[in-house]
Amino acid sequence: MSKDIKKSVEFNLVEVIFIILITGIVVSVASGLIVFKNYDKLSSVASSDSATNFSEFNKAYNHIVNSYVKEVDKDKLIEAAIEGMYTYLNDEYSIYMDEETTKSLEERLDGQYTGVGIEITADKNNNKIIINKVFSNSSAMDAGLKAGDELIALDGVLLSDKEYTYVSDTIKNSKKDTFMIKYIRDGKEYEVNLKKKNVLIDSVVSKEYENVGYIQIQTFSATTSKQVKDKINNFSKNIDSLVIDVRNNTGGYLSAAYEIADYFVAKGKPIYQLKNRENKITIYKAKNDILRNFKDISVLINNYSASASEILALALKESANATTIGVKSYGKGTVQETDTLSSGAMIKYTTSYWLSPNGNTINTIGISPDIEEKDAKKQLDIAIKMYKK
């Protein structure tokens, strides 16, 4: 049960439910900032006090397993014990995640998956299953599916009396690789065959506004930094200013945030700092030359910009003279380490704090924007007008 398979560090904001047909799974994401690096070293039990405590735990476990009036699931009992330890910490970011939640988190942040390429949501008021997003280079996009389409049947089974999880569970658990989807668009019914294949999760959107480039980062997955790099390289030659949008982005991999910041921060300048339980501070600096020089950079933030988003925003603000626009960010400045157990479950506990390039903390405080604008519709307009020629 205690065998370590994977260790990482995570900044976690909230648990967000994404309903994504990746391998057909409903994805429950404990989103935040994850780093594949250990800060805490596991050691064997050395003291007699600790040995006694484990003996007491074992005794309690055996009483329940051998003498309780009802038979219990031993695996579930151990899970409950582990979960209880993390609940005792009274730290909303130190939690136990079961195997299903762990797989969902890892699949989402991996940035690619095997699936049909649609994200769905449930319209409970009208008992409908609606496509929320279609991913690029997927069989769903190839078949012409669009956001807003209503799914009404899967392999001939009507979905009107099914939970939305039926669709994801069926595709996930089936040994088939092709599925017939019936859907409604503008009152007309259509049928398509969708085949599972490797799909890249789109986490970056870009646009051009004359001389101003715009990049929206929706999450910090394992593929996000490459997507950002591709978007920057594909901008027109006349783009001399940039707006980076991390509104509603609750985090992801620290490596992604670091790599993206490294595109804009001069080599040798700090990107972020980490402070551990002994108050030892480690500074992480830019390693590479700036990818493309922009005359001006702005970062759009809001109350749901957290963790990796806040690290990127502060790195650009303090080390690349960027301007932050919007409303105060969430304020998540603690670091969590995660271990995946042999059961497939994951444990996560707070181990340190992260600081800005200048050594500032935003934990429970958030980032106050340089230009405050509460109207979300005006935030991007302000940035564009600042830099438009």
Side-chain angles (χ1 to χ4, degrees):
M1 193 72 187
S2 62
K3 180 182 178 183
D4 300 324
I5 296 179
K6 183 187 294 179
K7 297 183 177 181
S8 61
V9 174
E10 176 181 355
F11 292 72
N12 178 35
L13 169 60
V14 290
E15 289 202 358
V16 183
I17 300 299
F18 294 94
I19 306 158
I20 305 177
L21 288 177
I22 45 182
T23 52
I25 192 169
V26 178
V27 181
S28 174
V29 177
S31 65
L33 192 71
I34 299 175
V35 185
F36 286 103
K37 182 177 180 181
N38 248 341
Y39 288 88
D40 197 7
K41 294 183 178 179
L42 300 179
S43 59
S44 60
V45 178
S47 70
S48 58
D49 289 343
S50 295
T52 300
N53 290 337
F54 276 103
S55 176
E56 293 298 318
F57 172 83
N58 190 51
K59 185 185 295 184
Y61 171 80
N62 285 326
H63 278 319
I64 295 174
V65 171
N66 298 320
S67 303
Y68 183 60
V69 68
K70 296 180 181 180
E71 187 173 349
V72 298
D73 185 317
K74 295 178 182 178
D75 291 337
K76 295 292 184 182
L77 188 61
I78 293 296
E79 286 183 11
I82 296 173
E83 186 172 4
M85 286 191 288
Y86 286 88
T87 300
Y88 165 78
L89 299 175
N90 196 29
D91 177 358
E92 62 181 311
Y93 304 116
S94 297
I95 62 174
Y96 168 89
M97 292 181 284
D98 61 27
E99 182 180 6
E100 191 69 17
T101 303
T102 298
K103 286 181 179 178
S104 300
L105 173 62
E106 291 174 340
E107 287 174 339
R108 177 70 180 184
L109 292 179
D110 187 46
Q112 53 189 342
Y113 55 86
T114 300
V116 298
I118 58 176
E119 181 180 279
I120 62 174
T121 186
D123 182 350
K124 294 184 178 180
N125 293 329
N126 298 309
N127 195 31
K128 295 179 180 180
I129 299 174
I130 306 297
I131 293 178
N132 185 53
K133 182 176 182 179
V134 178
F135 294 107
S136 301
N137 301 315
S138 66
S139 57
M141 177 162 284
D142 294 340
L145 289 173
K146 297 180 179 180
D149 290 342
E150 177 193 350
L151 304 185
I152 59 173
L154 173 64
D155 285 339
V157 178
L158 296 179
L159 303 176
S160 56
D161 62 344
K162 302 289 185 182
E163 293 287 335
Y164 59 81
T165 52
Y166 171 82
V167 177
S168 55
D169 290 342
T170 299
I171 295 178
K172 172 191 174 184
N173 298 321
S174 176
K175 295 181 179 179
K176 296 172 50 180
D177 63 359
T178 302
F179 304 87
M180 189 280 289
I181 296 284
K182 182 180 286 188
Y183 65 97
I184 295 177
R185 181 189 299 165
D186 298 328
K188 295 182 180 181
E189 293 187 7
Y190 302 89
E191 285 186 9
V192 293
N193 289 314
L194 302 180
K195 187 174 183 178
K196 289 194 288 188
K197 65 177 185 178
N198 190 60
V199 178
L200 180 72
I201 298 178
D202 301 321
S203 57
V204 181
V205 175
S206 67
K207 294 181 182 179
E208 295 186 11
Y209 299 90
E210 296 183 12
N211 64 299
V212 182
Y214 168 82
I215 290 178
Q216 179 189 36
I217 303 174
Q218 299 169 342
T219 190
F220 291 87
S221 74
T223 63
T224 300
S225 62
K226 184 181 183 305
Q227 292 182 52
V228 170
K229 184 176 182 179
D230 291 341
K231 298 294 186 182
I232 292 173
N233 288 333
N234 289 328
F235 275 143
S236 302
K237 292 182 179 180
N238 67 302
I239 298 297
D240 59 12
S241 297
L242 181 67
V243 178
I244 298 176
D245 190 348
V246 291
R247 292 174 296 180
N248 302 314
N249 183 335
T250 58
Y253 287 133
L254 174 58
S255 58
Y258 172 83
E259 289 165 6
I260 294 169
D262 201 12
Y263 296 153
F264 308 103
V265 175
K267 183 188 293 188
K269 283 194 172 185
I271 290 178
Y272 69 94
Q273 304 181 36
L274 288 183
K275 183 173 72 171
N276 66 14
R277 61 192 293 174
E278 286 82 29
N279 291 321
K280 178 183 177 181
I281 293 178
T282 304
I283 301 175
Y284 295 84
K285 300 178 180 180
K287 295 180 179 180
N288 301 302
D289 294 327
I290 293 174
L291 178 64
R292 176 170 174 171
N293 286 301
F294 292 96
K295 185 175 63 175
D296 299 290
I297 299 175
S298 287
V299 184
L300 305 184
I301 58 174
N302 66 5
N303 298 141
Y304 298 102
S305 301
S307 301
S309 294
E310 292 174 303
I311 280 188
L312 178 61
L314 280 179
L316 300 188
K317 174 184 172 68
E318 295 183 0
S319 291
N321 298 316
T323 301
T324 51
I325 300 173
V327 294
K328 185 179 291 187
S329 65
Y330 182 81
K332 175 66 177 64
T334 59
V335 182
Q336 284 71 45
E337 182 175 324
T338 68
D339 282 348
T340 302
L341 305 178
S342 59
S343 65
M346 180 181 285
I347 52 176
K348 178 168 66 69
Y349 47 96
T350 301
T351 58
S352 56
Y353 295 90
W354 70 263
L355 308 174
S356 74
N358 294 340
N360 299 315
T361 180
I362 53 86
N363 193 44
T364 71
I365 301 170
I367 302 170
S368 295
D370 298 312
I371 301 176
E372 184 176 21
E373 175 53 66
K374 296 181 180 179
D375 189 338
K377 295 179 180 179
K378 295 180 180 179
Q379 291 162 355
L380 177 58
D381 290 339
I382 290 174
I384 293 173
K385 289 178 180 177
M386 285 172 56
Y387 306 138
K388 227 175 185 182
K389 292 181 179 178

